[in-house]
Amino acid sequence: MTTKNELIIRMDEIRKVYDTGKVKVEALKGINLEIEKGEMVAIVGPSGSGKSTLMNLVGCLDTPTSGIYEIGGQAVSGVTRDELAEIRNRRVGFVFQAFNLLPHITALENVELPMLFGGVKPHERRERASELLERVGLGDRLDHKPTELSGGQMQRVAIARALAMEPDIVLADEPTGNLDSSAGGDIMSIFTNLWQQGRTLVIITHDPALARRASRVVEIHDGRITSDQATNAAA
Amino acid sequence: MKDVLKQLARDLKAEKLRTFLTIFGIVWGTVAISLMLAFGTGLHKQLIKSTAGLGDRIVIAWPGLTSIPYEGLGKGRRIRIREDDLTAIRGNVPGLKAVSGEYSNNMKVVYGTKTLSVDTSGVVPEFGTMRNMIPQMGGRFIDAVDYNEQRRTVFLGNQLAKDLFGTTPAVGKMINVNQSPFLVVGVLQEKDQDSNYSGPDDQKMFIPSTTFRALTDKKYVDNFVFQAANSDDTKQVIKRVSAALGKRLRFNADDKEALGMWDTTEQFKFFDVFMLAFNAFLGIIGVLTLVVGGIGVSNIMNVVVEERTREIGIKMALGAKQRYILGQFLIETMLVTFLGGAIGFAIALSVCAVFPKLGLSQYVGDPVVSPLVAILTSLALGIVGLIAGYFPARDAARLDPVVAMKL
Ligand SMILES: Nc1ncnc2c1ncn2[C@@H]1O[C@H](COP(=O)(O)OP(=O)(O)OP(=O)(O)O)[C@@H](O)[C@H]1O
Ligand SMILES: [Mg+2]
């Protein structure tokens, strides 16, 4: 962190309380986090520590109970649901552990979806989607449905989809969690490549190897950040 | 819009069974209600048609024996009605539209080698319209000239014409009636007739009553037929006719045996009441069908939304706005409804097209589908489905994407 870069994410005393009626679970207990453009942040921590909760807040999939959150300089409190949807559409690309592809449509159409919601013209969508799929090595699988693809291939479709709207930040919640080590390795390489191309990434992982590739490792314990360190890779 | 439709087609294809079930529910509802009402309408029309075979809301009257003493005259006296008695009431009884005496005899008809004994009526021209004697193409009923000039013209029942002439045209041919030559001027168009008082019209023949009297020396009518200008006034007109004739022929106007009357309008009234009850019955069944169909459709839409919650979550995570999610469901429901309604309507139409070939038309009539009913039915089912689909879809679209995706 030698040069001060543009700030993509800024979190100030973020709390998240899950109220299940009987019990209240405080999943995040005051998170302060800033992420700059071009960083690759690995978030690690034991199960149940609040990693996914944090990630969902970063991606505007969920709203914090309290605290200030800004993405790309835009405050994310008091905005309508549709505005939130627009932020997700333009600023954030998601990669989930469970892939979350729509099963009935082809790889190409899955990648096109965010652009459909973002109002990109049909031929432009098609062109960009096939280009992205080619980039993740699936140029010959455009018309396959998710069920006709392997886990690694599905996750690559998901990565292509996450990049479709040229987001400010790509978020991945245990992207290799459902993959064997070889497919997981491929996915990790794609992420490192993206980072090297200048993209901003936040990746939740249990995998120490993947964490080592990041420029910065944030450790969470019981809803609090306990460690935040640049790695050798940052240099 | 194209994208939405394309995606819709895919969704529907992917959810074949459910789409099929939803469409089936709407098809079933549409067919059931359209057909029920179609058969109801058909039955009503047939009832009216076969009753109208006898005549268009007419009264038939027979002179008989008095049963009440009148002005010093004892009971049991025979009442005889002449043509001038009828002429006297014609135009003098308010609300009376037409009246015709009817003289009946069995006459010998000869044509070529065929000889038949035929029930023959002598009548006035108005008899034709009152009794729904519609001629086949190229023919006519007895007319005023026939009547006034005492012509020997004859109108044949269609069955009689067939017996005499086979398939060759009868109009213009001469036949012998009780040894006198008669010109056939018309043949009855086939009609449904469920009741009669002197044999079905298709086996009878009709000649001018002037000619009839000259041929037979009959002075008195066997019966007469009349019609009120407004069928609702039939009761009063009957009373007035009785009173007018009673005064002329000296019998008590209330004497039901001196002048027996058959008011066929009562039958029509009965049908109206019957059909009202029948339609109410159909209506109840229709509403129940709609409710059952609606519950089916709404159940299916509920399941659809439930199963799609995850998909909705994913789409929202990727930036789909609420109205996109809702719009998709609404368009889908509308399309399914439209499709189901169209198929149901087509089925109902085909049933109605095939039904007349089953040969039951005579009894229950031909069902007539009302497009309005079909449209309203599928619309109602569609609205139920829409409401049923809308609320769960809205709830799903209101969930936080994470929650929706986890479901
Ligand atoms: N929807 C929810 N309702 C109630 N409690 C929740 C909900 N989601 C998460 N939690 C609770 O919040 C805490 C943090 O959960 P979270 O999913 O963020 O953990 P995590 O770090 O991602 O764990 P893992 O590594 O197993 O994925 C846990 O105690 C969990 O039980
Ligand atoms: Mg998690």
Side-chain angles (χ1 to χ4, degrees), chain A residues 150-190:
Chain A
S150 72
Q153 287 170 331
M154 281 198 268
Q155 200 57 301
R156 279 187 270 165
V157 173
I159 293 173
R161 183 180 67 182
L163 297 173
M165 288 298 285
E166 296 279 359
D168 295 345
I169 190 165
V170 173
L171 306 179
D173 191 345
E174 296 187 43
T176 58
N178 281 5
L179 303 176
D180 61 35
S181 57
S182 124
D186 290 348
I187 297 299
M188 284 184 334
S189 308
I190 293 176

Side-chain angles (χ1 to χ4, degrees), chain B residues 15 21 63 69 78 145 185-186 208 220 244 268 290 299 341:
Chain B
E15 310 251 345
L21 286 177
R78 179 164 296 282
V145 181
V185 292
Y220 307 108
F268 285 89
L290 267 182
N299 258 335

Side-chain angles (χ1 to χ4, degrees), chain A residues 81 86 88 100 109 125, chain B residues 3 10 310 321 397 399:
Chain A
R81 292 179 56 83
E86 207 163 311
R88 285 196 294 270
N100 281 351
E109 287 161 341
R125 275 190 333 237
Chain B
D3 297 303
R10 262 193 314 251
R310 192 180 139 79
K321 294 187 179 158
L399 287 176

Side-chain angles (χ1 to χ4, degrees), chain A residues 56 61-62 81-82 85-86 88-89 94 96 98 100 102 104-105 109 113-114 116-117 125-126 161, chain B residues 3 7 10 14-15 310-311 314-324 397-402 405:
Chain A
N56 292 336
L61 286 173
D62 207 349
R81 292 179 56 83
D82 277 358
E86 207 163 311
R88 285 196 294 270
N89 185 250
F94 289 101
F96 301 96
N100 281 351
L102 294 195
H104 305 310
I105 60 178
E109 287 161 341
L113 264 188
L116 170 70
F117 303 139
R125 275 190 333 237
R126 188 125 302 206
R161 183 180 67 182
Chain B
D3 297 303
Q7 186 158 1
R10 262 193 314 251
E15 310 251 345
R310 192 180 139 79
E311 187 183 316
I314 294 173
K315 284 180 176 169
M316 286 194 300
L318 298 177
K321 294 187 179 158
Q322 228 167 330
R323 64 167 179 276
Y324 175 91
R398 273 184 184 172
L399 287 176
D400 278 319
V402 236
M405 273 190 292

Side-chain angles (χ1 to χ4, degrees), chain B residues 47-163:
Chain B
L47 284 176
I48 287 180
K49 203 169 124 198
S50 6
T51 308
L54 179 63
D56 186 9
R57 291 161 209 252
I58 55 168
V59 180
I60 303 149
W62 290 268
L65 303 175
T66 58
S67 63
I68 304 174
Y70 184 79
E71 291 181 356
L73 297 165
K75 57 183 184 177
R77 193 164 44 91
R78 179 164 296 282
I79 297 300
R80 293 191 173 88
I81 297 175
R82 293 169 187 271
E83 197 64 29
D84 12 324
D85 296 322
L86 296 179
T87 311
I89 64 167
R90 192 177 285 135
N92 283 329
V93 171
L96 179 68
K97 187 178 170 199
V99 58
S100 169
E102 187 170 0
Y103 306 79
S104 304
N105 248 1
N106 213 277
M107 296 194 180
K108 202 172 94 181
V109 173
V110 179
Y111 176 72
T113 56
K114 286 178 190 140
T115 304
L116 292 173
S117 166
V118 179
D119 277 328
T120 308
S121 287
V123 296
V124 303
E126 288 89 339
F127 186 88
T129 30
M130 277 194 288
R131 291 270 280 93
N132 275 335
M133 298 286 179
I134 299 162
Q136 290 175 11
M137 282 268 285
R140 61 170 175 82
F141 195 68
I142 307 298
D143 68 9
V145 181
D146 296 331
Y147 180 81
N148 293 332
E149 297 183 3
Q150 205 179 308
R151 284 189 180 169
R152 286 198 291 267
T153 50
V154 60
F155 182 83
L156 301 179
N158 48 308
Q159 188 54 48
L160 173 61
K162 209 184 216 167
D163 293 344

Side-chain angles (χ1 to χ4, degrees), chain A residues 51-53 97 173-174 204:
Chain A
K51 304 184 294 294
S52 296
T53 305
Q97 178 175 356
D173 191 345
E174 296 187 43
I204 294 178

Side-chain angles (χ1 to χ4, degrees), chain B residues 25 38 45 125 260 295 326 352:
Chain B
K45 280 194 176 154
I295 290 173
L326 284 179
C352 291

